[in-house]
Amino acid sequence: RGASMLLEEVRRGGCIDTSAQSLVFLFMCLGAEDVARVRVGTLSQYTIESLRLFKLILGVEFKVKPDAETKTVLLSCLGVGYRNMAKAST
């Protein structure tokens, strides 16, 4: 069963596992105030709901560009530049 799940993820394409997509998108949202891009396979329903929440809470919108040739999706966003203010500065 594990091998068939792995082959399914490879078939979908992209560079992110379906179960880790929303975590990667969260890091993109919180990252530097610069454009971040990633190519993924098919978006899961959980990921779509996560993108809606990121827009609502953080105000970050993703550009979604499907690539019919490779059957993948290219997502890009502008990070909010979150910084940990509790971290001691030296």
Side-chain angles (χ1 to χ4, degrees):
R1 178 178 174 168
S4 65
M5 290 173 65
L6 177 62
L7 289 173
E8 179 63 24
E9 288 294 332
V10 171
R11 185 194 62 79
R12 288 182 182 163
C15 61
I16 306 295
D17 186 285
T18 305
S19 61
Q21 288 176 350
S22 59
L23 184 62
V24 171
F25 296 152
L26 176 60
F27 290 148
M28 289 170 62
C29 290
L30 296 175
E33 294 179 24
D34 196 8
V35 177
R37 293 183 194 92
V38 69
R39 184 176 303 274
V40 297
T42 307
L43 294 174
S44 68
Q45 189 62 36
Y46 181 82
T47 302
I48 294 169
E49 288 298 323
S50 297
L51 292 175
R52 290 179 182 150
L53 283 173
F54 299 152
K55 180 179 177 183
L56 180 70
I57 295 169
L58 299 171
V60 175
E61 291 189 40
F62 280 80
K63 286 187 179 179
V64 180
K65 294 182 183 176
D67 187 356
E69 185 178 318
T70 60
K71 297 181 182 176
T72 58
V73 182
L74 180 66
L75 288 99
S76 60
C77 75
L78 187 64
V80 296
Y82 178 79
R83 295 190 184 275
N84 184 359
M85 298 309 225
K87 184 177 178 183
S89 61
T90 56

